[in-house]
């Protein structure tokens, strides 16, 4: 496995482990996900050993592998109705890496001019929550497009088991994901009325937002929610005004903040990094157990303020 692919793979493995240790994921579901990522019981044992988790029997792994997936919650606290008359939503397709990619587009009704925002999903794929984020952006006056990075294997909607989606995303190289996102960015730029473009991403997608910012010099503004830092050697390539949003309890991701900030300062990048007290990883996702309304509301207001300053006025 290449170093690029290993970084994404390890990120997903550690995220599942963190959810398990913090009581947000049942043991059987955690072990089932390790068997998926490891390609079976033997690979799962290797992953568990690397995480310092011992005492898992062959029988327990077999039971976990055969267990049905736990369904995710589909709706959240602040869903914008897809039928809201102030917005227009629908599917979009585009070609990248030799296959057809799927995406979800939301824009203000009426077809007028507006900035565009690429919305990059978590490691569960293009879920209803991410589509809702696109609609929220449309309500705020942006043309938002959320690509489905699971398109190569049929798209997120084909899989009831989000762990299989996560496994695919983790085992795909970051370079392939970024190539897909660059193609999506061109499609977004070509939408009628789009004036300038930015990006926002969450968790896994937050990390890809940082990576995309190092590759897409046409981005005017980006917002990364609790995403792992990019290759620090590439930080000087970032031209966008960058905002990083984090939870104070998210020790795994927060450990990378000091080095990232030093690199951003050295590069002269326009940036801000904000850490919210009392919030953990994925605090913005109102369909998940880590949702913290106060932090999510404040972070969303800061996101819109950032885009208003560096994207709407670009």
């Amino acid at each position: 496995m290449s170093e690029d692919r290993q970084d994404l793979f390890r990120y997903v493995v550690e995220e599942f482990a963190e959810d398990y240790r913090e009581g947000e994921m049942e043991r059987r579901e955690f072990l089932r996900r390790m068997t998926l990522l490891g390609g079976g019981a033997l690979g799962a044992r290797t992953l568990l050993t690397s995480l310092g988790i011992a005492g898992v029997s062959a029988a327990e792994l077999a039971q976990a592998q055969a267990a049905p997936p736990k369904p995710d919650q589909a709706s959240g606290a602040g869903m914008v109705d897809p039928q809201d008359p102030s917005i227009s939503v629908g599917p979009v397709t585009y070609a990248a890496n030799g296959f057809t990619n799927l995406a979800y587009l939301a824009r203000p009704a009426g077809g007028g001019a507006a900035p565009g925002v690429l919305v990059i999903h978590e490691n569960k794929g293009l879920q209803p929550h991410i589509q809702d984020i696109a609609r929220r952006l449309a309500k705020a006056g942006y043309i938002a497009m959320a690509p489905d990075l699971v398109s190569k294997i049929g798209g997120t909607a084909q899989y009831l088991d989000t762990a299989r989606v996560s496994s695919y995303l983790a085992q795909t190289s970051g370079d392939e994901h970024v190539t897909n996102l660059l193609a999506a960015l061109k499609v977004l730029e070509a939408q009628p009325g789009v004036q300038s473009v930015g990006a926002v991403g969450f968790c896994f997608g937050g990390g890809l937002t940082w990576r995309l910012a190092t590759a897409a010099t046409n981005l005017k503004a980006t917002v990364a929610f609790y995403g792992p830092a990019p290759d620090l050697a590439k930080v000087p390539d970032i031209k966008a005004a960058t905002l990083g949003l984090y939870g104070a309890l998210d020790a795994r991701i927060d450990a990378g903040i000091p080095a990232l900030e030093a690199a951003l300062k050295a590069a002269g990048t326009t940036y801000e990094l904000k850490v919210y007290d009392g919030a953990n990883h994925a605090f913005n996702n109102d369909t998940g157990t880590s949702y913290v309304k106060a932090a999510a509301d404040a972070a969303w207001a800061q996101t819109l303020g950032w885009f208003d300053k560096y994207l709407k006025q670009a």
Side-chain angles (χ1 to χ4, degrees), residues 176-254:
E176 180 172 328
H177 288 318
V178 170
T179 297
N180 290 353
L181 292 171
L182 287 169
L185 199 57
K186 289 182 179 179
V187 174
L188 176 59
E189 285 183 297
Q191 294 300 310
V194 169
Q195 303 166 311
S196 56
V197 289
V200 60
F202 304 84
C203 302
F204 177 86
L208 289 179
T209 299
W210 282 112
R211 289 189 184 215
L212 181 64
T214 69
T217 57
N218 56 330
L219 287 170
K220 298 298 184 183
T222 63
V223 181
F225 279 75
Y226 28 78
D231 181 348
L232 298 182
K234 295 182 179 180
V235 166
D237 296 331
I238 297 175
K239 305 305 179 187
T242 59
L243 173 63
L245 303 175
Y246 305 88
L249 305 179
D250 190 4
R252 178 173 62 99
I253 297 300
D254 292 357

Side-chain angles (χ1 to χ4, degrees), residues 75-147:
S75 60
M79 292 280 286
V80 174
D81 189 341
Q83 304 301 319
D84 188 312
S86 69
I87 62 173
S88 174
V89 304
V92 173
T93 61
Y94 62 97
N97 282 323
F99 58 90
T100 299
N101 288 259
L102 313 172
Y104 181 82
L105 184 72
R107 62 180 299 150
V117 178
L118 202 68
V119 183
I120 309 176
H121 59 64
E122 302 161 322
N123 68 30
K124 296 178 182 179
L126 184 54
Q127 297 294 330
H129 168 65
I130 296 299
Q131 294 176 333
D132 184 50
I133 292 291
R135 295 194 296 271
R136 293 181 202 182
L137 284 165
K139 288 278 289 184
Y142 296 91
I143 299 170
M145 179 173 155

Side-chain angles (χ1 to χ4, degrees), residues 12-170:
V12 174
V13 168
E14 290 177 350
E15 185 166 354
F16 289 161
E18 184 175 59
D19 288 346
Y20 165 63
R21 287 174 173 139
E22 294 179 354
E24 296 179 10
M25 185 182 295
E26 294 179 1
R27 181 178 175 87
R28 179 174 288 188
E29 177 63 13
F30 169 63
L31 294 178
R32 188 180 75 84
R33 294 183 180 219
M34 290 301 101
T35 62
L36 280 172
L37 285 166
L42 183 62
R45 284 191 178 281
T46 300
L47 291 176
L48 291 167
T49 298
S50 73
L51 293 166
I53 298 174
V56 181
S57 68
E60 189 176 14
L61 280 175
Q63 290 174 349
Q65 195 169 10
K70 291 284 186 180
D72 285 351
Q73 184 178 338
S75 60
M79 292 280 286
V80 174
D81 189 341
Q83 304 301 319
D84 188 312
S86 69
I87 62 173
S88 174
V89 304
V92 173
T93 61
Y94 62 97
N97 282 323
F99 58 90
T100 299
N101 288 259
L102 313 172
Y104 181 82
L105 184 72
R107 62 180 299 150
V117 178
L118 202 68
V119 183
I120 309 176
H121 59 64
E122 302 161 322
N123 68 30
K124 296 178 182 179
L126 184 54
Q127 297 294 330
H129 168 65
I130 296 299
Q131 294 176 333
D132 184 50
I133 292 291
R135 295 194 296 271
R136 293 181 202 182
L137 284 165
K139 288 278 289 184
Y142 296 91
I143 299 170
M145 179 173 155
D148 188 348
L149 296 175
V150 190
S151 298
K152 190 174 183 177
I153 57 171
T156 301
Q158 299 292 320
Y159 298 89
L160 296 177
D161 185 357
T162 59
R164 294 190 180 277
V165 170
S166 299
S167 181
Y168 167 76
L169 290 169

